[in-house]
Amino acid sequence: MRTIDLMLASAATILLAHPAVAQQGGISPAQTPAGDGTVNPLAQPGDRQGTNSTTVDSGALEDIVVTAQKREQNLQDVPVAVTAITADKLINRNVTTVSDLPRLAPSLTVTTGAFPTNNSINLRGIGTVSFSTAIEPSVAVIVDDVALLQQAQAFSGLSDIARIEVLRGPQGTLFGKNASAGALNIVSQGPSSTLTGAVTGTATTDDEYRVDAVISGPLSKDVGFRLNGFYGDRDGFIKNVFDGRRLNNDISYGVRGRLAIDPLPGVSVDLIAGHSVSESRGTARTFRSVPTGATVFGASLASTLVGITPGEDNFNTAFNGPLFNKSRQSNGSGRVTVDLGIANLISITSYQDWRFRFIEDFDYIVGPVLGLPDGIIAQSGFHARQFAQELRITSKGGGPLSYVFGAYYSDGTTDRSFNRGPSGPVVALWNSTSGTKTFATFGQASYDIAQSTHIDAGIRANNEKISVRYLNGVVPAVRPGNNATCLAECVGNASDSVVTGKIALRQDLARRVMAYASYSTGYKGQGYDISTGFTATRAAVPVRPETSKAYELGLKSRFLDNRYQLNVAAFWTDFRDFRRSQANCCPIIRFWFS
């Protein structure tokens, strides 16, 4: 399948000037990047990372430093369509989940399904909705330099975030193989140079409550810490008229700790560990339209629709089975930075563990179905974990050449169990394990051809090995109108190598006005379509890789004494072997996910 995407004037942003208290350089000492875009939490006034200037209410827009190219750069100098969302914006607009981000980032959309595993993050209209744990997303999510193995992990909530960068277009050169449409780069807050603490709370008229707390500061001259936690409780807004349950609620809580240590001159260590939990009754579906005489597996909908008026404004549903899901996530990473003089050597070691489970009323009606008093129940469990190691060398600026190059290794495994039944034509019982091992080398450099002309070029070589093991518990394993499924066990292994790259030309047209043209390629690795009815053929022949080619023209500008900003981009993206999942079910009844 070939998909071509054409958009003009994408990511156009005009920021009107407003009174602002701006530190010289645009960032405070406690949040100043330390040479490679990271934050030195112990920076003191007068240090090389900090400043001790007097704050001035100039009314000008602040400079925003981003790490969209894995080194610190002014947002206006990056030849990528980037939206950088700062901590103040996240707090002021009450953004607490990734699903809230489309309010602040043009061309970013989030589609939601019955569970987080069916959600999709989309950039410029491109994303991946997949029921398989082995099909990667088109938009990568990176949290504190660690790429998440499953995109569903990103929906566990946001707390104490310093900045979120929305990067449009292929970003695989620096961020890996599953960024063929773009990437979300999430950066959490680092320790502060002085002892600080805060507690914030939110309460709404529709029964939503949230509390965030943080404490941060130095433990000694060379050690800083930050500890934050959150708790949120949102009442359900969908009513089950059968038993009075309030559905589509959300209870979430989490904690994250961070230590910044300077054990030796020129050496810094940043340790991060976090745990979060999210659970809800939903997401529930409501009836949008139901034809007269409609049935579900032969059972009438008459008793289900009592007290319900189908339509777009319907917030009532009815079923007699369960609806529940729960996600638990633990992450840990260690970052060591060594000052080599002209460059920084950076090592990032990480481990992530994510568990998710759901149970739902599959038929979604009141009363017996296929002779089962409670109808058809579906439940599934997920367990994903990944170890990753990245080494890179990043220039420290100065001179006409700046660069970043390195190597990356990851080993990820996702287990899933699925049970739907206990009887009838839709029964399913299986377990699967999918694995992915990746090794990549990458590099990107910027060179000043002339005082106002610059070129950026990068390349990445990626090798991936994937595997699958599928155990079928239904005998006989035959689907009407389809080939036989795996009678007991199916096993598959495959590997693939690819080279992706990027080149961009930047031209300074005037002070604070830059135009650029870029060409980049993206890649999303091959994968196994693991779902009910998995066959030996699927195990032998995985889904082909998805590739993209993107052409982009952009303009980034600030004018009228740095009080107004206008960024625009025009792009053409060509996707090949684009993936999407499609389920053929219930064509006569339309549901609405609220």
Side-chain angles (χ1 to χ4, degrees):
M1 176 180 179
R2 178 177 176 179
T3 302
I4 295 179
D5 215 351
L6 175 64
M7 291 289 292
L8 293 176
S10 169
T13 306
I14 300 180
L15 301 178
L16 300 182
H18 55 86
V21 178
Q23 177 109 14
Q24 182 179 347
I27 44 183
S28 64
Q31 296 180 340
T32 306
D36 65 321
T38 61
V39 172
N40 183 344
L42 303 179
Q44 300 291 334
D47 287 354
R48 64 179 175 87
Q49 289 94 356
T51 60
N52 194 23
S53 60
T54 304
T55 56
V56 178
D57 186 0
S58 64
L61 297 171
E62 294 186 34
D63 290 335
I64 298 177
V65 175
V66 297
T67 53
Q69 299 189 119
K70 292 203 172 183
R71 53 189 176 87
E72 69 166 50
Q73 290 178 285
N74 188 317
L75 172 66
Q76 296 300 100
D77 295 333
V78 179
V80 179
V82 184
T83 296
I85 307 171
T86 61
D88 288 342
K89 286 185 179 180
L90 293 171
I91 294 172
N92 294 337
R93 296 295 296 273
N94 193 31
V95 173
T96 59
T97 69
V98 167
S99 298
D100 297 328
L101 289 177
R103 303 203 307 260
L104 301 177
S107 75
L108 170 66
T109 58
V110 176
T111 58
T112 57
F115 310 103
T117 50
N118 293 343
N119 293 353
S120 175
I121 300 173
N122 313 285
L123 282 171
R124 291 174 169 172
I126 299 297
T128 301
V129 179
S130 177
F131 308 119
S132 171
T133 57
I135 299 297
E136 298 174 331
S138 298
V139 178
V141 180
I142 298 93
V143 181
D144 290 326
D145 265 329
V146 178
L148 300 182
L149 177 59
Q150 296 288 337
Q151 194 178 77
Q153 297 173 240
F155 293 89
S156 296
L158 300 172
S159 178
D160 201 34
I161 302 300
R163 183 179 68 257
I164 297 179
E165 301 167 8
V166 182
L167 314 178
R168 302 170 183 84
Q171 303 297 324
T173 302
L174 292 177
F175 290 100
K177 58 187 173 60
N178 59 337
S180 55
L184 294 185
N185 187 29
I186 302 173
V187 182
S188 67
Q189 295 278 14
S192 56
S193 59
T194 58
L195 183 63
T196 61
V199 177
T200 59
T202 302
T204 69
T205 56
D206 56 351
D207 297 321
E208 179 177 359
Y209 307 93
R210 182 180 172 96
V211 176
D212 289 79
V214 61
I215 184 170
S216 178
L219 294 176
S220 67
K221 178 182 177 182
D222 299 320
V223 180
F225 82 99
R226 190 177 190 93
L227 180 66
N228 74 280
F230 72 95
Y231 177 85
D233 188 346
R234 186 193 71 230
D235 197 13
F237 56 92
I238 302 295
K239 182 180 180 180
N240 187 338
V241 298
F242 171 74
D243 55 17
R245 279 180 292 173
R246 304 296 298 186
L247 308 174
N248 289 33
N249 73 315
D250 180 74
I251 298 176
S252 58
Y253 51 91
V255 62
R256 180 172 58 239
R258 188 163 183 168
L259 278 177
I261 308 169
D262 294 335
L264 297 169
V267 178
S268 62
V269 179
D270 194 10
L271 304 176
I272 306 174
H275 179 75
S276 62
V277 177
S278 178
E279 61 181 71
S280 68
R281 297 183 297 275
T283 305
R285 292 168 284 180
T286 60
F287 291 98
R288 192 171 183 178
S289 65
V290 180
T292 303
T295 62
V296 174
F297 301 116
S300 172
L301 287 176
S303 59
T304 299
L305 294 176
V306 174
I308 296 177
T309 302
E312 293 187 9
D313 297 326
N314 173 35
F315 288 90
N316 293 328
T317 189
F319 56 91
N320 61 335
L323 186 64
F324 177 80
N325 66 76
K326 184 174 183 177
S327 170
R328 292 185 298 164
Q329 182 170 195
S330 299
N331 299 307
S333 66
R335 177 190 182 106
V336 179
T337 303
V338 180
D339 189 341
L340 302 178
I342 62 172
N344 286 328
L345 173 64
I346 304 167
S347 170
I348 303 170
T349 307
S350 65
Y351 184 79
Q352 54 187 281
D353 187 289
W354 175 70
R355 297 173 186 265
F356 177 75
R357 185 165 188 84
F358 76 78
I359 180 170
E360 69 164 342
D361 187 327
F362 182 76
D363 54 78
Y364 230 79
I365 67 172
V366 173
V369 175
L370 300 174
L372 303 172
D374 296 325
I376 304 169
I377 306 300
Q379 54 185 317
S380 185
F382 300 75
H383 184 197
R385 56 273 190 204
Q386 177 174 274
F387 168 82
Q389 174 66 54
E390 181 173 339
L391 289 172
R392 65 176 183 254
I393 294 180
T394 306
S395 62
K396 296 172 62 176
L401 177 67
S402 56
Y403 54 85
V404 55
F405 62 87
Y408 175 82
Y409 170 79
S410 67
D411 186 352
T413 302
T414 303
D415 298 327
R416 184 184 180 187
S417 62
F418 186 79
N419 186 354
R420 182 178 61 209
S423 64
V426 293
V427 66
L429 178 63
W430 52 267
N431 293 274
S432 71
T433 297
S434 59
T436 172
K437 291 185 179 181
T438 299
F439 178 75
T441 56
F442 60 90
Q444 183 164 304
S446 299
Y447 184 73
D448 298 334
I449 301 175
Q451 184 175 1
S452 60
T453 306
H454 324 275
I455 189 170
D456 302 84
I459 191 170
R460 186 184 191 97
N462 189 91
N463 175 264
E464 180 185 26
K465 296 179 180 179
I466 61 173
S467 62
V468 63
R469 182 172 181 262
Y470 182 93
L471 298 174
N472 183 26
V474 178
V475 179
V478 177
R479 300 178 65 201
N482 201 342
N483 61 324
T485 62
C486 301
L487 296 178
E489 180 182 24
C490 285
V491 176
N493 294 276
S495 62
D496 191 27
S497 297
V498 69
V499 175
T500 57
K502 176 180 180 177
I503 187 167
L505 184 66
R506 292 179 284 134
Q507 180 65 45
D508 299 326
L509 304 179
R511 186 172 182 270
R512 296 187 178 273
V513 179
M514 182 267 287
Y516 69 90
S518 69
Y519 169 75
S520 58
T521 59
Y523 171 84
K524 181 169 69 174
Q526 58 185 343
Y528 292 102
D529 181 16
I530 304 173
S531 59
T532 300
F534 190 73
T535 67
T537 300
R538 292 193 206 174
V541 183
V543 180
R544 295 176 60 183
E546 175 183 297
T547 60
S548 58
K549 298 178 181 179
Y551 306 83
E552 183 165 311
L553 297 174
L555 176 72
K556 295 192 173 185
S557 60
R558 287 187 175 184
F559 45 93
L560 296 181
D561 295 327
N562 198 30
R563 294 172 180 265
Y564 297 86
Q565 175 175 299
L566 173 64
N567 293 346
V568 286
F571 66 92
W572 176 288
T573 306
D574 186 351
F575 284 87
R576 295 179 182 270
D577 296 312
F578 179 73
R579 301 174 186 169
R580 66 177 180 178
S581 290
Q582 180 173 332
N584 296 320
C585 173
C586 314
I588 61 173
I589 302 171
R590 288 192 294 167
F591 286 104
W592 184 257
F593 289 95
S594 301

